[in-house]
Amino acid sequence: MEKQHFFLLLLCLAIVVIHSANAQVPAVFILGDSTADTGTNNFLNDSSTPKANFPPYGIDFPHSRPTGRFSNGLNSADFLTKLLGFKRSPVPYFVIEKNTKFIKRPSFRGANFASGGSGILDITGQQMLGLPFFGYGNNASDAGKNVVTLSEQIEQFSWVCSNLTAIKGAADAETFLSKSLFFFSVGSNDLFGYYYSKSGVSREQFLSSLGQTYENHLRNIIKLGARKIGIFGIPPVGCCPSQRFFNQSGGCLEELNSLAVDFQGTINSMMGNLSSEYKDLKYSIGNAYAMTINVINNPRLFGFRESKSACCGNGAFNGGGICDSSAKLCPKRQHYLFWDMFHPTKAASKLAASTLFYGDSRFAAPINVKQLAEA
Ligand SMILES: *[C@@H]1O[C@H](CO)[C@@H](O)[C@H](O)[C@H]1NC(C)=O
Ligand SMILES: *[C@@H]1O[C@H](CO)[C@@H](O)[C@H](O)[C@H]1NC(C)=O
Ligand SMILES: *[C@@H]1O[C@H](CO)[C@@H](O)[C@H](O)[C@H]1NC(C)=O
Ligand SMILES: *[C@@H]1O[C@H](CO)[C@@H](O)[C@H](O)[C@H]1NC(C)=O
Ligand SMILES: *[C@@H]1O[C@H](CO)[C@@H](O)[C@H](O)[C@H]1NC(C)=O
C-alpha cells in the first residue's frame, strides 16, 4: 500500500472512531415506567412504591450493585443512551433537583424522570394497590407519593427547562431542546390497571381515553420545546410470567395482548396527527409488541433459551412471587428473556434497544432512533 493511501485510511478510521465516540444528540430526556427507571423510585419513601434497590437486582451491574433498575443489569434506556453515543445514562431528575448545578455543567446530557409503577394515566400508580402482585404494600390509604406520575414527570421536566433557559438564554435553550431526544416508555401499567379493575368502561372507550391522555402529555412536552420524540409501544404484557401464572394452560393472557396491539394503532395514529400539526416534529415509534413476540416465539434465534419463565421469582413460570434474596434464581441469566415476573433481562433490554435503534419498519417506524438522532 502506498504511504498516502495508508495515511488516508488511518484518517478515515480516526474520523469514524471520533464520530462514534461523540453523542449524536446534545441530550436525552427519558420518561416512563419501570422499563426505563434508573433510580427515580429510590427517592420515594412510600411503603407501596415499587422498588428494585436490593439484591439480586443489579447482580450483573458493575460490582453487582442494585441501583433501583428493575433488571439484573442495565435497562433499555441505558442501552439506548449508549447507542446514541453517550458514556452513561442521564442521571435521575431527583439528583438534579438536589443539586441544580448539574444543569450548569457543560457535560449536562439530560435527565431521567421514569418511575416504576407509573402509567399514562395519573390514577395508574395508585390504582395498582391491591391488584394481584402490584402493591408491594397493600394499604390504599398509604397511596401518597408512591410513584411519580407522567404528569409530574413532565412538570419536573419543565423545571429543567426553566433552569436551562435561565442558564443558556431562551434561544440557545430552545435549540438545545429541539435537537435533544425525548424517549417515552410507558403504558403497560395502564393496561394492567384496566384489565384487573374490571371496570364497566368498554375497551374502545378506555383505549381512546388512554390515547387522548398520552396525546395531551406529548403536546405539553412539545410546547416545552421537544421536537425529536421516541416512543416505545406496549409489549405483549399478557406473556409476562406474572400473567402466564394465571392461565391454567400456561399460555399468555390474550385480552391483555390484544389491548397492547390495539394501542399500538392508537399511538401510530396519534403521532401521525401530531406531526401533521407540528411540521418540525420528528418521531420514531418502537413496536415493542412485534419485537417481543418474535423473541417469545423463536427464543433461540436471538440467543435465548427460555422465553416464558422469569429468571428470578417463585411459583409457576417464576411468575407467582417477587424477586428478592429468598427467590429462586436461574443459573444462566443471559439465556432468559424475563428477569422477574414483569421485566426483561439485561440481555433482552440490550436487544430491544438495538432493535429500536437500528430496526427496520416492522420494529421502528416511520424511522428508527438512529435516523431520528440524525434527522
Ligand atoms: C424521603 O425521605 C428523605 C429523608 O427522610 C427526604 O429527604 C426526602 O425529601 C423524602 N422524599 C419524598 C419524596 O418525600
Ligand atoms: C393502613 O395505613 C393506615 C395509615 O398508615 C393505618 O392506620 C392502617 O392501620 C393501615 N391498614 C392496614 C390494613 O394495614
Ligand atoms: C430550577 O429548578 C428548581 C427545581 O428543580 C426550581 O426550584 C428553580 O426555581 C428553577 N430555577 C429557575 C431559574 O427556573
Ligand atoms: C390461556 O392460554 C391458552 C393457550 O395456551 C389460550 O388459548 C387462552 O386464551 C388463554 N387464556 C386467557 C384467559 O387468555
Ligand atoms: C387522528 O386524526 C383523525 C382525523 O382527524 C381522527 O379520525 C383520529 O381519531 C385521530 N387519531 C387519534 C389517535 O386521535
Side-chain angles (χ1 to χ4, degrees):
M1 204 190 301
E2 280 179 42
K3 233 186 196 158
Q4 248 176 345
H5 284 157
F6 184 61
F7 179 67
L8 203 62
L9 181 69
L10 275 184
L11 195 68
C12 291
L13 283 177
I15 288 168
V16 167
V17 168
I18 288 167
H19 189 78
S20 63
N22 273 330
Q24 295 161 328
V25 293
V28 186
F29 297 95
I30 293 160
L31 300 100
D33 59 23
S34 56
T35 53
D37 187 335
T38 55
T40 300
N41 282 13
N42 296 346
F43 290 85
L44 305 182
N45 304 325
D46 196 277
S47 63
S48 62
T49 298
K51 293 219 168 148
N53 56 353
F54 46 82
Y57 284 98
I59 189 169
D60 297 312
F61 201 82
H63 311 292
S64 293
R65 191 161 63 88
T67 59
R69 285 171 177 80
F70 294 75
S71 166
N72 53 314
L74 297 177
N75 64 25
S76 309
D78 295 311
F79 284 115
L80 194 70
T81 329
K82 273 179 190 272
L83 286 166
L84 285 162
F86 295 100
K87 241 185 171 153
R88 56 181 71 84
S89 255
V91 290
Y93 165 77
F94 287 120
V95 173
I96 297 175
E97 190 184 68
K98 288 201 183 337
N99 182 3
T100 48
K101 283 199 197 84
F102 250 94
I103 304 182
K104 288 208 180 78
R105 295 184 188 150
S107 62
F108 177 70
R109 291 291 176 264
N112 186 318
F113 306 88
S115 168
S118 69
I120 294 165
L121 305 173
D122 286 345
I123 52 160
T124 291
Q126 334 297 332
Q127 195 190 42
M128 286 190 306
L129 289 160
L131 295 176
F133 302 132
F134 275 99
Y136 282 54
N138 250 348
N139 191 338
S141 60
D142 276 351
K145 191 84 222 101
N146 52 339
V147 305
V148 186
T149 65
L150 193 53
S151 301
E152 290 165 336
Q153 294 177 34
I154 292 171
E155 200 181 312
Q156 294 175 336
F157 171 69
S158 79
W159 285 115
V160 172
C161 276
S162 57
N163 276 266
L164 265 179
T165 304
I167 293 159
K168 288 182 186 289
D172 282 3
E174 193 184 321
T175 307
F176 183 85
L177 292 174
S178 71
K179 291 181 174 170
S180 296
L181 183 76
F182 291 77
F183 179 62
F184 286 79
S185 182
V186 66
S188 302
N189 293 325
D190 300 287
L191 298 195
F192 286 130
Y194 172 69
Y195 183 79
Y196 286 105
S197 70
K198 299 190 165 70
S199 80
V201 178
S202 75
R203 72 198 304 285
E204 287 70 29
Q205 260 180 306
F206 167 70
L207 289 175
S208 141
S209 78
L210 193 61
Q212 202 48 249
T213 309
Y214 209 163
E215 185 177 322
N216 291 341
H217 290 311
L218 289 168
R219 283 183 187 279
N220 288 336
I221 210 120
I222 291 169
K223 277 187 206 125
L224 290 166
R227 287 298 178 272
K228 289 187 178 193
I229 298 180
I231 291 191
F232 212 25
I234 306 183
V237 284
C239 300
C240 286
S242 57
Q243 308 306 303
R244 282 190 196 270
F245 180 83
F246 293 119
N247 189 334
Q248 298 302 330
S249 65
C252 306
L253 293 186
E254 311 271 0
E255 174 57 13
L256 272 168
N257 283 1
S258 141
L259 285 165
V261 170
D262 289 353
F263 195 59
Q264 186 77 25
T266 309
I267 295 176
N268 291 341
S269 164
M270 164 184 85
M271 291 311 289
N273 288 357
L274 278 175
S275 76
S276 59
E277 191 176 330
Y278 296 93
K279 298 292 177 203
D280 53 349
L281 179 68
K282 300 184 178 72
Y283 67 96
S284 169
I285 305 171
N287 193 331
Y289 192 94
M291 289 179 201
T292 312
I293 211 77
N294 216 1
V295 179
I296 289 174
N297 295 335
N298 317 285
R300 283 173 184 265
L301 215 59
F302 298 92
F304 296 102
R305 296 277 193 280
E306 177 57 57
S307 61
K308 294 180 177 168
S309 292
C311 171
C312 179
N314 263 303
F317 302 105
N318 266 351
I322 62 165
C323 172
D324 61 14
S325 55
S326 64
K328 278 187 293 175
L329 187 63
C330 71
K332 297 228 160 128
R333 299 179 284 275
Q334 72 275 22
H335 285 170
Y336 280 68
L337 172 61
F338 290 101
W339 160 245
D340 68 10
M341 59 172 148
F342 287 112
H343 302 105
T345 52
K346 171 188 166 188
S349 303
K350 186 173 184 182
L351 176 64
S354 68
T355 310
L356 199 61
F357 195 74
Y358 296 111
D360 65 35
S361 59
R362 284 171 302 164
F363 303 119
I367 54 175
N368 58 35
V369 172
K370 183 172 189 294
Q371 293 165 319
L372 179 62
E374 289 160 355

